[in-house]
Amino acid sequence: MAQRERRFAAALLAPAFLALLATTTFPLLFLVWTSAFRMDLAMPFTNGYVGLENYKVLLTDERFWSSLLISLVYTGSTVILQVVIGLALALLVMDMKRGQGWFRVIAILPVVLSPAVVGMIWRTFMLAPEFGIIDFLAINAGLGSKNWLGDPLLAMVSVIIIHTWQWTPFAFMVLLASLAALPEDIYEAARLDRATAWQRFQRITLPLLRPAIVMVIIMRTMVALTAFAAIFTVTGGGPGTATEILNLYAYRKSFTELSIGYGSALAVALLIVTILISAVLFAMRRAK
C-alpha cells in the first residue's frame, strides 16, 4: 500500500518535475554551454569552441564593469526605497480608521501592470519634455523643463523611481500583513510603561518585522538584478550606456551585436552575481 502511494505521488510530481527541467534546467545548461563558444552571427567563419576565453574577455571589458556597477546602484537604491516607503505606508494604513480597503486596492494597481506598459506610461505621459506630467510640475515649480531621459543622471534617477513606483506596493502589502499579525498585548504593555511611539517602533515593531523585511529585501533584490522590460522601454539603456544594466548589456551583445557566445557569458556572470548576493542575504538572515 505504501509503495503504491509513493508511485502515485511520483506520478503526480513527474509533470511538474519535467516542466521544471524543460523551462529552467535545460535552458540554463545550454546557456553555460553556449558561453564556451565563439558564436558571432556577423562573422560565422570565426565561430568555434573557445573554452573560458569569453570570461577572460569579460574581466577586461570596461563596459561589463560599468553595467555591473549600474546594476548594483539600481538594485540597492530601488530595494532600499521600496522597503522604507512600503513600511511607512503600512504604518500609515494601520493607523487609518476608514478607507483601508480602498487604499490597498489603489496601492496594488502598479504591481499588476506589465513592466513594459509601465515603461511606456512613464515615457509618454510622465517624463516627456514639456508635455509630461513631471515636466509640467517642474515648470510650474520654477525649475524649468528637464530632459529627464536625455541627461545621464536624470535618466538613472528616473528608472529608479519607475521601478520603485511599480514594486513598492509589493513591500507594502507584505509588511502590512505582518503588522496586522503582531500581538497587540505587547503594545499595550509598552504604553503602560509610557514608551513613546518611536520607542515602540524601534524596540517592538522593527524586531518583530525583521523576518518579513529581510524576505522582502531578498525577493526584491533578485528581481531588481534581473530587471529588463521597463528600462528597455523607457531608455533602452541610454543615454549612451548611462542606464545599461548588466541584463540589458547581455541582451544588446547577443541580439544587437549578434555575439551570442559573449552575450551568454554575460548572462552567466549576471546569474553568478545574483546567486552570490542572494547567498549573502540568506546567510545574514540565518545568522540573526
Side-chain angles (χ1 to χ4, degrees):
M1 186 68 179
Q3 187 176 4
R4 184 180 300 175
E5 290 178 353
R6 284 196 294 270
R7 289 178 179 175
F8 180 70
L12 291 177
L13 290 174
F17 180 71
L18 292 175
L20 181 65
L21 288 177
T23 58
T24 58
T25 306
F26 290 150
L28 179 59
L29 293 175
F30 181 74
L31 177 70
V32 175
W33 178 79
T34 305
S35 70
F37 287 80
R38 176 180 173 85
M39 299 179 64
D40 193 335
L41 300 184
M43 295 184 292
F45 53 87
T46 64
N47 293 348
Y49 178 78
V50 294
L52 298 177
E53 186 62 30
N54 285 325
Y55 295 97
K56 293 178 182 179
V57 174
L58 180 148
L59 293 176
T60 59
D61 185 355
E62 293 184 2
R63 191 172 166 190
F64 163 74
W65 293 108
S66 174
S67 62
L68 177 60
L69 177 61
I70 291 171
S71 295
L72 295 177
V73 171
Y74 176 80
T75 299
S77 302
T78 55
V79 171
I80 291 172
L81 287 172
Q82 287 172 57
V83 172
V84 172
I85 298 174
L87 179 57
L89 289 175
L91 292 170
L92 176 65
V93 170
M94 285 296 295
D95 289 335
M96 291 175 60
K97 303 300 181 182
R98 297 180 180 179
Q100 279 196 24
W102 285 106
F103 191 92
R104 295 182 189 185
V105 171
I106 295 172
I108 205 68
L109 288 178
V111 175
V112 303
L113 296 175
S114 164
V117 173
V118 169
M120 289 300 297
I121 291 174
W122 277 82
R123 181 183 179 90
T124 306
F125 296 106
M126 304 296 291
L127 299 173
E130 297 185 8
F131 302 103
I133 295 176
I134 301 299
D135 211 47
F136 174 79
L137 295 175
I139 293 172
N140 282 274
L143 301 176
S145 178
K146 304 290 183 181
N147 190 0
W148 300 97
L149 302 180
D151 180 88
L153 178 59
L154 291 179
M156 188 64 189
V157 172
S158 297
V159 295
I160 289 173
I161 291 174
I162 292 170
H163 189 91
T164 302
W165 174 82
Q166 181 173 21
W167 294 109
T168 293
F170 174 83
F172 160 69
M173 294 301 291
V174 172
L175 296 176
L176 181 63
S178 300
L179 279 173
L182 297 183
E184 184 62 31
D185 55 341
I186 298 179
Y187 290 95
E188 289 295 335
R191 292 188 187 96
L192 291 175
D193 290 338
R194 297 183 180 180
T196 63
W198 171 249
Q199 289 174 331
R200 294 196 299 270
F201 173 75
Q202 185 180 20
R203 298 179 183 179
I204 299 176
T205 304
L206 275 183
L208 293 177
L209 284 181
R210 192 188 64 81
I213 292 174
V214 172
M215 187 53 61
V216 168
I217 290 175
I218 292 173
M219 296 179 68
R220 296 312 316 152
T221 297
M222 290 188 288
V223 172
L225 280 171
T226 56
F228 176 82
I231 293 181
F232 181 76
T233 306
V234 176
T235 65
T241 58
T243 59
E244 186 181 66
I245 59 175
L246 187 51
N247 204 12
L248 186 55
Y249 179 34
Y251 169 84
R252 281 180 165 178
K253 205 69 181 179
S254 298
F255 301 107
T256 302
E257 301 177 26
L258 303 179
S259 183
I260 305 297
Y262 189 63
S264 298
L266 290 169
V268 172
L270 175 60
L271 176 63
I272 293 172
V273 170
T274 304
I275 292 174
L276 290 176
I277 292 177
S278 301
V280 170
L281 291 174
F282 274 109
M284 293 174 59
R285 180 173 180 264
R286 288 193 298 268
K288 295 183 179 181

